[in-house]
Amino acid sequence: EKSIFLLGKKNRIIKQIDYNSNSSSETDYNYSKDLLVNTISKSKNGKKIYKIEYNYDKNKNNIEYKQLENDTLVFLKTKVYDKNNNISEETYLHPNYKKNKSFHIFSYDFKNRIIKVQGFDENKQLTNHFLKINFNKKGFIVRTEIVYEKLIKSNLGYSVMEYDNLGNLTNNTSYSGDEKTAEAKYKNTYDKMGNIIIREMLINDKLREKTTYEIIYDK
């Protein structure tokens, strides 16, 4: 697979070209008042057009995210923000799979750097679990955990993340209780500007994916 990103004068992506062994596609990025308002993707054969639309509130918070296929809505995500511009509510809607509709409420513990995300089903009935997210002082996610209300402690699953000095992920380890179930390691090679030019992902110490970047800077 290969992708090319073209950037405009403000270093914003204006076009993306994706290639794989079977086909290629182009995506145009459109902005208004420095905010991304939509992306339009067309495959090489032109049979399908994918569009993503973004809407914002007066504080430039993204309140609506739409995915359309040939002008038909296939996914909708809406967000509500509190007075501090933190997400307070989030709704997912799949028009073709109404049972997959879900609703989430966010609560914040700033002192301990924890966010709790409580889920509800399509009938707004409370689910028996919630997502707990821990952050470090730099604002990076260092632990995620699905907490079940009535699950014994030994069966709890969680993931732990580690980062390098430039803030890029280097390790993501999953656990079930005290037992390690999977480990993803990331090896990053940087250029003189501090941008990644080679990124390798190893799953349980075996190379699974390698991505190389060629960055062309303005002289």
Side-chain angles (χ1 to χ4, degrees):
E1 298 177 350
K2 179 181 179 180
S3 296
I4 297 174
F5 297 88
L6 304 178
L7 281 67
K9 293 182 179 179
K10 295 184 178 182
N11 279 336
R12 296 182 307 206
I13 298 173
I14 56 175
K15 184 181 285 291
Q16 176 181 342
I17 307 170
D18 298 302
Y19 301 92
N20 58 45
S21 58
N22 298 317
S23 64
S24 64
S25 63
E26 291 190 8
T27 301
D28 291 315
Y29 290 69
N30 300 299
Y31 300 84
S32 176
K33 298 180 180 179
D34 292 330
L35 294 173
L36 179 65
V37 293
N38 65 55
T39 64
I40 301 174
S41 302
K42 298 179 181 179
S43 59
K44 186 177 181 180
N45 58 28
K47 292 182 179 180
K48 289 186 178 181
I49 298 176
Y50 299 94
K51 188 175 182 180
I52 297 177
E53 297 180 347
Y54 303 85
N55 290 309
Y56 304 86
D57 63 15
K58 63 180 180 181
N59 295 319
K60 298 183 179 181
N61 295 312
N62 175 228
I63 57 173
E64 191 175 70
Y65 170 95
K66 290 181 179 180
Q67 290 183 356
L68 301 102
E69 182 177 323
N70 293 337
D71 291 328
T72 299
L73 181 66
V74 294
F75 176 68
L76 173 65
K77 178 169 67 174
T78 59
K79 298 178 184 179
V80 176
Y81 295 81
D82 62 21
K83 62 180 181 181
N84 296 314
N85 294 313
N86 295 307
I87 299 173
S88 59
E89 298 178 9
E90 195 171 61
T91 302
Y92 294 84
L93 175 64
H94 303 263
N96 297 326
Y97 306 95
K98 293 185 178 180
K99 289 186 177 181
N100 288 342
K101 181 180 179 180
S102 60
F103 177 72
H104 301 89
I105 291 180
F106 293 70
S107 58
Y108 299 85
D109 179 351
F110 293 105
K111 181 179 180 180
N112 296 302
R113 296 191 292 274
I114 294 173
I115 293 178
K116 176 183 175 182
V117 185
Q118 179 65 64
F120 298 79
D121 62 20
E122 72 276 10
N123 298 314
K124 289 196 173 183
Q125 296 296 312
L126 188 68
T127 59
N128 66 344
H129 62 276
F130 62 86
L131 174 63
K132 181 180 177 183
I133 306 172
N134 294 74
F135 295 83
N136 62 15
K137 292 181 179 180
K138 294 182 178 180
F140 297 135
I141 297 174
V142 293
R143 179 182 171 115
T144 61
E145 181 179 358
I146 301 292
V147 180
Y148 289 84
E149 304 288 356
K150 298 180 180 180
L151 193 65
I152 59 174
K153 186 176 181 180
S154 61
N155 287 334
L156 291 179
Y158 62 95
S159 297
V160 177
M161 296 79 172
E162 298 175 10
Y163 303 83
D164 61 20
N165 292 331
L166 294 176
N168 291 301
L169 184 67
T170 58
N171 194 287
N172 187 343
T173 306
S174 299
Y175 296 87
S176 178
D178 296 325
E179 181 181 352
K180 182 190 297 186
T181 56
E183 183 177 29
K185 295 180 180 178
Y186 299 86
K187 294 183 179 180
N188 303 315
T189 302
Y190 298 89
D191 64 12
K192 294 181 179 179
M193 300 293 290
N195 292 311
I196 294 175
I197 54 176
I198 300 175
R199 183 168 173 82
E200 297 174 288
M201 180 178 69
L202 297 89
I203 303 295
N204 297 329
D205 292 322
K206 293 183 179 180
L207 182 63
R208 184 64 59 85
E209 183 177 283
K210 181 178 180 179
T211 304
T212 59
Y213 300 87
E214 180 186 3
I215 306 173
I216 302 173
Y217 297 98
D218 286 337
K219 295 182 180 181

